[in-house]
Amino acid sequence: MEIELKPASKYERRIFYKEEWNVKDVPDFIIDSITSREFGFDHYGQGPNDRYKTFPDALRLKRFIKVKQPFAAYCSVAFYEKPKQRKGWQQSELVFDVDAKDIPIRTCDCKEGEVCDKCLNQAKDIVLMIKDVLNDDFGLNNINMVYSGRGYHVRVLDEEVMDASSDLRGQIVQYVIGAKEPDLTNNLGFNNLQHFIIPYGYPYNFTRWAKYTILHLTKDSELDNVNKKLLRDVLKERHFLEEDSWGLFRANIGPIRYKRLISAVARVNMGITDTKVSIDLKRILRLPSTLHSKVSMKSTLIKNIETFDPFDDAVPQFVYDRK
């Protein structure tokens, strides 16, 4: 059956929250801190204007959602002493928001603002790379992967990053997604920032992402300061990157044009994730287990990202019942 990503009707929302939604599907990392989080709701499809909601326990949250059957439900990444007033900030999750419709170089034929199985798979590949960097380079392990409905949220709750400032979060994001052009004259990368150390070997991580981006370019791709001739040459010579032969690739492109390309790739990579979400200490995110009503998909905590398929694991029953 082909899944049509169209908005859910009010009747379909009612059926979902009455028959399918279960508060037990809300992740433990949210329930365990429920009294410290702000919740927000969109009841009419116009944005989350019902904010500053708090709940003392999962039962009260369940009752509210069962009655209201919201168009969308959200909760804060921040923990507060007084979440109802958003006062007394304590700490926040570090978040990477990868939306399939906003991937800078997509390999599908979707129109602007649309998503399909191909670009959703591309988004999944990206979050797998992000998870690997967080694990391998930073040693972070409390990483929760959530399918948001049109992409993925990577939600990190390791204590090492929970109290990080917005500036430090921005630096971490730049490292993780290869969005800062490395200094090609040395291999030091970032140094110690506040109390958190961003690993050495930054050029390696950058080339990992640069390779990903360059291998996804097409003849119609547009990059700042990269003309059509350079793009054609990149496409012609990029087979060297499949064998990690960066030296041959760089030599054939030429050092000046290579530097221009690398600068353009760094700017492209900055759009891989929504950095504004990552640095916002008071951001609210879609509540896992609830309905993304614009596309009739469930926001879902992912137990195994390797095998997760949104078109099998995040489709509400009412979608299958549509005629």
Side-chain angles (χ1 to χ4, degrees):
M1 174 183 176
E2 183 177 348
I3 303 300
E4 187 177 3
L5 301 178
K6 70 176 185 179
S9 67
K10 187 175 181 179
Y11 170 76
E12 289 171 332
R13 295 204 312 270
R14 183 163 65 247
I15 291 296
F16 173 77
Y17 283 112
K18 179 181 179 181
E19 300 181 358
E20 188 170 350
W21 180 77
N22 193 324
V23 73
K24 293 180 180 179
D25 294 330
V26 178
D28 289 342
F29 73 85
I30 292 176
I31 295 299
D32 290 346
S33 54
I34 191 171
T35 58
S36 299
R37 294 184 186 258
E38 175 212 0
F39 288 77
F41 299 90
D42 174 2
H43 299 294
Y44 308 106
Q46 300 174 348
N49 52 15
D50 185 8
R51 298 281 304 267
Y52 305 102
K53 295 291 185 184
T54 57
F55 299 95
D57 51 45
L59 179 60
R60 301 293 179 88
L61 175 64
K62 172 186 174 180
R63 289 174 178 171
F64 182 92
I65 290 181
K66 287 284 189 180
V67 170
K68 296 294 185 179
Q69 301 156 2
F71 187 89
Y74 306 84
C75 78
S76 67
V77 301
F79 297 4
Y80 302 97
E81 292 177 5
K82 298 179 180 179
K84 195 171 183 64
Q85 291 85 35
R86 285 199 295 178
K87 292 182 178 179
W89 179 87
Q90 297 172 320
Q91 55 185 3
S92 296
E93 302 170 30
L94 172 63
V95 176
F96 296 82
D97 180 10
V98 180
D99 196 323
K101 67 179 175 57
D102 297 326
I103 296 172
I105 297 180
R106 293 201 287 181
T107 57
C108 62
D109 298 319
C110 281
K111 296 178 182 178
E112 185 175 352
E114 295 181 350
V115 297
C116 67
D117 56 345
K118 194 170 184 179
C119 58
L120 283 170
N121 280 332
Q122 191 178 352
K124 178 180 171 181
D125 290 340
I126 288 171
V127 298
L128 280 166
M129 292 175 66
I130 290 173
K131 183 176 183 293
D132 286 344
V133 176
L134 293 171
N135 280 150
D136 299 341
D137 292 19
F138 290 95
L140 300 174
N141 296 299
N142 194 349
I143 302 171
N144 298 276
M145 320 289 285
V146 175
Y147 176 68
S148 63
R150 286 192 298 197
Y152 294 86
H153 293 153
V154 182
R155 306 178 64 159
V156 186
L157 285 91
D158 291 81
E159 288 297 327
E160 294 93 325
V161 295
M162 287 282 283
D163 62 350
S165 67
S166 293
D167 179 66
L168 179 54
R169 289 166 191 258
Q171 298 280 13
I172 293 171
V173 170
Q174 284 186 319
Y175 177 91
V176 170
I177 62 174
K180 182 176 178 63
E181 181 184 357
D183 182 353
L184 298 176
T185 64
N186 66 66
N187 291 319
L188 294 181
F190 287 117
N191 218 329
N192 188 24
L193 295 172
Q194 294 183 17
H195 66 285
F196 192 81
I197 298 176
I198 293 188
Y200 292 116
Y202 181 79
Y204 167 73
N205 188 56
F206 178 84
T207 54
R208 171 167 43 185
W209 284 98
K211 174 181 176 180
Y212 173 86
T213 297
I214 292 170
L215 290 179
H216 281 81
L217 294 173
T218 70
K219 61 182 179 62
D220 298 319
S221 298
E222 295 184 3
L223 287 79
D224 293 342
N225 207 28
V226 172
N227 57 36
K228 291 297 182 182
K229 184 179 186 309
L230 176 53
L231 179 60
R232 286 196 300 269
D233 290 345
V234 168
L235 298 181
K236 178 182 176 182
E237 303 295 339
R238 67 180 176 181
H239 62 93
F240 288 115
L241 300 186
E242 295 175 354
E243 301 175 356
D244 290 322
S245 298
W246 281 91
L248 290 173
F249 175 74
R250 181 181 181 182
N252 288 353
I253 294 297
I256 295 176
R257 297 201 306 162
Y258 177 80
K259 190 176 189 315
R260 189 190 313 163
L261 171 68
I262 290 303
S263 296
V265 166
R267 291 191 292 273
V268 167
N269 287 354
M270 198 65 188
I272 286 173
T273 184
D274 188 341
T275 307
K276 296 190 298 295
V277 173
S278 299
I279 65 175
D280 187 349
L281 301 179
K282 298 186 176 182
R283 175 71 57 160
I284 57 174
L285 290 182
R286 193 173 300 278
L287 178 63
S289 78
T290 60
L291 187 66
H292 192 313
S293 295
K294 288 185 178 180
V295 289
S296 297
M297 297 281 272
K298 292 184 290 186
S299 178
T300 305
L301 178 66
I302 300 169
K303 296 181 179 178
N304 186 337
I305 185 66
E306 300 281 355
T307 60
F308 178 79
D309 182 347
F311 291 100
D312 285 334
D313 303 320
V315 180
Q317 182 58 44
F318 69 76
V319 173
Y320 296 114
D321 295 337
R322 285 171 174 166
K323 296 182 180 179

